[in-house]
Amino acid sequence: MLLTGLPATAGPVTAARQLSDVIPAPAEVKANPKADFRLTPFTQIRTQPHSKDATRIGHYLARTLRPATGYPLPVVPARRQHLPGISLLLGKAAPRTGTEGYQLDVARSGVTIRANTPAGLFAGVQTLRQLLPADIEADRVQRRAWTVPGGRIVDYPRFGYRGAMLDLARHFHTPDEIKAYVDELAQYKINHLHLHLSDDQGWRIQIDSWPRLAPEGGGPGTGVDGEGGGYLTKADYTDLVRYAAERYITVVPEIDMPGHTNAAQSVYAELNCDGVAVPPRTDIEVGYSSLCIDSEITYTFVEDVIRELAAMTPGPYLHIGGDEAHATTDEDYATFMNRVLPLVYKYGKRPFGWNEVAKVDPPASTVPQYWGTTTQNADVAEAAARGSKILMSPANKAYLDMKYDANTPLGLQWAGFIEVRDAYEWDPGNHLDGVGEESVLGVEAPLWSETLRTLDDIEFMAFPRLPALAELGWSPRATHDWGSFSQRLAEQGPRWQLREVNFYRSPQIAWPG
Ligand code: NGO
């Protein structure tokens, strides 16, 4: 692109953005090349008067754009008479934008984002951010033109639930690491963060009525290879929930049971049928542990945990795991779930479970999370037929902990290798027999931590596959196109570099430079 009128010292020139150069792909795009908008030192960010949410989102946008532009970008209430600027307005958006969508108009005189809700406004801000040149992600002033391509986007999600899961049990990840991940998730319009808070190797959330659970079950030496110690205090958790909520992300906590419970059973002897505490485990075997199904103390424990977790979780969902309970008989599994599912409802939450939960014919409002590797599962199909919504996380497509290929240093490979294209080329609304579009709650990308230690590790496995899954969750089926996606993805590379986000340079993508 020729940048006329700029000094010779202008920064690196990247290709001009097109209005459709966004991940996830917007639902409706109408470009108008004559209507490009240019950010200037005089641009104001004008927000819906008297709206705290709009003001907060305005400041978020200003904080995002100031470092690279060096412009002051004051955030002021929107008034009738004004200079060119970016307006963030609530109300009067096209009805089809719903509760999470937005409408973005780019004209020479300004950018206007309208949405019916703050969540929609925030989504529109993420789109605007991606429409600016990649240099906008720099943490120092870049001397260059800041052009937003002209036209109109009307955008809204295909599925209401777009999630990512972090496993804190196998290796604890600190609140700061989780927040850094949340910041990235928000940019791709992910709206749920599922935290896997307990497993055989660790218990990662403070529970007051069982006070030794977290300090001992999540203490030093817990985790895979004894290297993943740590836990969230209630204050940490509450702060994380707030941080995520400010980015329109709802936290979904998971306590895995009746299997994957060795950590709890190693701390409290009474959770074992023989009354003897099991030794802590740091290996990655699965399917050997089970709470004691016939003992009343088990249900006291489970109810205490659910009650405390529900009380600190404003979101509507609570995940009770239920996967790989190989040490529990089918009969015991049903007994357990039939007592525990009502407890989740008792404390005002809607249960999620890994797809095994579908075996017990749970109420239709329980959400089975499909993690299988085939396109058939009779129990899940029956649940869908009874009216359940299914969350789609097929392990051979959506598991971010699978290796990209045989050379990937991190990750597992039990569900196969997952290159970027594999993560992208499937249709959540038509993947599982008997589970059609209308039965799908959404898509979630789980990231299990057996092999992960650092934030760098998390990022390397998540990027660039997470944006592929985000697009499957948000964008209409009609926009699905690998050629287009892979080009748009390539352009994310320089942004990650500037934000110091680690990522896998997949040979399937023509990364610039
Ligand atoms: C499985 C298993 C987890 C592992 C993960 C590793 C589910 C739902 N249970 O997924 O315990 O960590 O695979 O990929």
Side-chain angles (χ1 to χ4, degrees), residues 126-196:
Q126 299 305 338
T127 296
L128 174 60
R129 179 174 182 177
Q130 288 191 35
L131 288 174
L132 283 155
D135 290 344
I136 198 67
E137 302 297 337
D139 60 4
R140 265 174 287 166
V141 175
Q142 310 292 304
R143 296 187 63 197
R144 59 161 302 149
W146 301 105
T147 307
V148 184
R152 162 174 280 200
I153 290 177
V154 181
D155 198 13
Y156 40 88
R158 177 179 177 188
F159 298 112
Y161 188 109
R162 304 168 306 280
M165 188 205 84
L166 270 185
D167 170 9
L168 305 194
R170 273 53 177 273
H171 282 98
F172 182 63
H173 306 301
T174 64
D176 282 349
E177 292 170 334
I178 301 169
K179 286 179 180 176
Y181 197 50
V182 163
D183 283 337
E184 290 301 313
L185 298 178
Q187 296 187 42
Y188 300 103
K189 303 186 173 79
I190 300 276
N191 64 354
H192 288 82
L193 173 68
H194 167 183
L195 295 176
H196 185 75

Side-chain angles (χ1 to χ4, degrees), residues 226-246:
E227 285 182 36
Y231 66 91
L232 299 175
T233 64
K234 285 193 169 178
D236 291 335
Y237 180 85
T238 301
D239 180 56
L240 267 178
V241 165
R242 177 202 53 80
Y243 189 89
E246 284 179 357

Side-chain angles (χ1 to χ4, degrees), residues 235-305:
D236 291 335
Y237 180 85
T238 301
D239 180 56
L240 267 178
V241 165
R242 177 202 53 80
Y243 189 89
E246 284 179 357
R247 286 148 187 81
Y248 300 92
I249 293 177
T250 302
V251 171
V252 181
E254 177 189 352
I255 297 296
D256 204 346
M257 48 198 169
H260 289 277
T261 47
N262 193 79
Q265 292 178 285
S266 74
V267 177
Y268 284 104
E270 57 268 48
L271 297 179
N272 299 273
C273 285
D274 61 4
V276 179
V278 292
R281 294 268 299 244
T282 58
D283 58 276
I284 66 169
E285 220 180 291
V286 293
Y288 56 84
S289 54
S290 177
L291 290 172
C292 188
I293 306 303
D294 294 331
S295 138
E296 273 313 299
I297 190 86
T298 294
Y299 302 96
T300 307
F301 166 75
V302 169
E303 180 160 3
D304 286 341
V305 170

Side-chain angles (χ1 to χ4, degrees), residues 69-414:
T69 62
Y71 301 161
L73 301 169
V75 180
V76 300
R79 301 272 177 243
R80 252 159 223 245
Q81 300 295 326
H82 41 59
L83 299 161
I86 301 171
S87 302
L88 306 181
L89 303 177
L90 283 168
K92 296 191 195 148
R96 64 187 179 287
T97 60
T99 54
E100 286 193 287
Y102 63 92
Q103 151 185 333
L104 181 144
D105 288 285
V106 184
R108 283 183 182 221
S109 55
V111 172
T112 307
I113 304 177
R114 286 185 182 280
N116 299 318
T117 62
L121 214 48
F122 186 77
V125 159
Q126 299 305 338
T127 296
L128 174 60
R129 179 174 182 177
Q130 288 191 35
L131 288 174
L132 283 155
D135 290 344
I136 198 67
E137 302 297 337
D139 60 4
R140 265 174 287 166
V141 175
Q142 310 292 304
R143 296 187 63 197
R144 59 161 302 149
W146 301 105
T147 307
V148 184
R152 162 174 280 200
I153 290 177
V154 181
D155 198 13
Y156 40 88
R158 177 179 177 188
F159 298 112
Y161 188 109
R162 304 168 306 280
M165 188 205 84
L166 270 185
D167 170 9
L168 305 194
R170 273 53 177 273
H171 282 98
F172 182 63
H173 306 301
T174 64
D176 282 349
E177 292 170 334
I178 301 169
K179 286 179 180 176
Y181 197 50
V182 163
D183 283 337
E184 290 301 313
L185 298 178
Q187 296 187 42
Y188 300 103
K189 303 186 173 79
I190 300 276
N191 64 354
H192 288 82
L193 173 68
H194 167 183
L195 295 176
H196 185 75
L197 293 169
S198 70
D199 213 301
D200 291 321
Q201 302 87 344
W203 184 282
R204 308 298 181 195
I205 181 78
Q206 177 188 347
I207 299 292
D208 294 334
S209 42
W210 295 73
R212 287 162 41 219
L213 265 181
E216 291 178 31
T222 61
V224 172
D225 297 337
E227 285 182 36
Y231 66 91
L232 299 175
T233 64
K234 285 193 169 178
D236 291 335
Y237 180 85
T238 301
D239 180 56
L240 267 178
V241 165
R242 177 202 53 80
Y243 189 89
E246 284 179 357
R247 286 148 187 81
Y248 300 92
I249 293 177
T250 302
V251 171
V252 181
E254 177 189 352
I255 297 296
D256 204 346
M257 48 198 169
H260 289 277
T261 47
N262 193 79
Q265 292 178 285
S266 74
V267 177
Y268 284 104
E270 57 268 48
L271 297 179
N272 299 273
C273 285
D274 61 4
V276 179
V278 292
R281 294 268 299 244
T282 58
D283 58 276
I284 66 169
E285 220 180 291
V286 293
Y288 56 84
S289 54
S290 177
L291 290 172
C292 188
I293 306 303
D294 294 331
S295 138
E296 273 313 299
I297 190 86
T298 294
Y299 302 96
T300 307
F301 166 75
V302 169
E303 180 160 3
D304 286 341
V305 170
I306 289 176
R307 186 185 63 249
E308 292 195 30
L309 203 52
M312 55 177 140
T313 302
Y317 305 124
L318 197 148
H319 203 307
I320 54 169
D323 58 318
E324 297 176 316
H326 306 317
T328 320
T329 64
D330 283 355
E331 205 191 334
D332 278 356
Y333 185 85
T335 304
F336 179 84
M337 284 300 172
N338 288 329
R339 281 195 68 173
V340 170
L341 286 166
L343 293 175
V344 180
Y345 289 106
K346 177 174 172 187
Y347 293 101
K349 301 296 171 192
R350 188 171 163 190
F352 272 37
W354 297 103
N355 58 241
E356 286 92 325
V357 79
K359 287 190 297 187
V360 308
D361 295 359
S365 56
T366 296
V367 177
Q369 179 169 10
Y370 181 65
W371 65 280
T373 54
T374 67
T375 55
Q376 279 162 343
N377 182 304
D379 297 322
V380 174
E382 271 171 42
R386 286 194 310 271
S388 272
K389 296 273 191 190
I390 312 299
L391 178 57
M392 296 299 293
S393 302
N396 56 334
K397 304 283 181 189
Y399 267 31
L400 297 177
D401 57 312
M402 289 304 121
K403 290 176 182 289
Y404 293 96
D405 65 19
N407 298 319
T408 310
L410 302 168
L412 306 175
Q413 60 183 82
W414 69 264

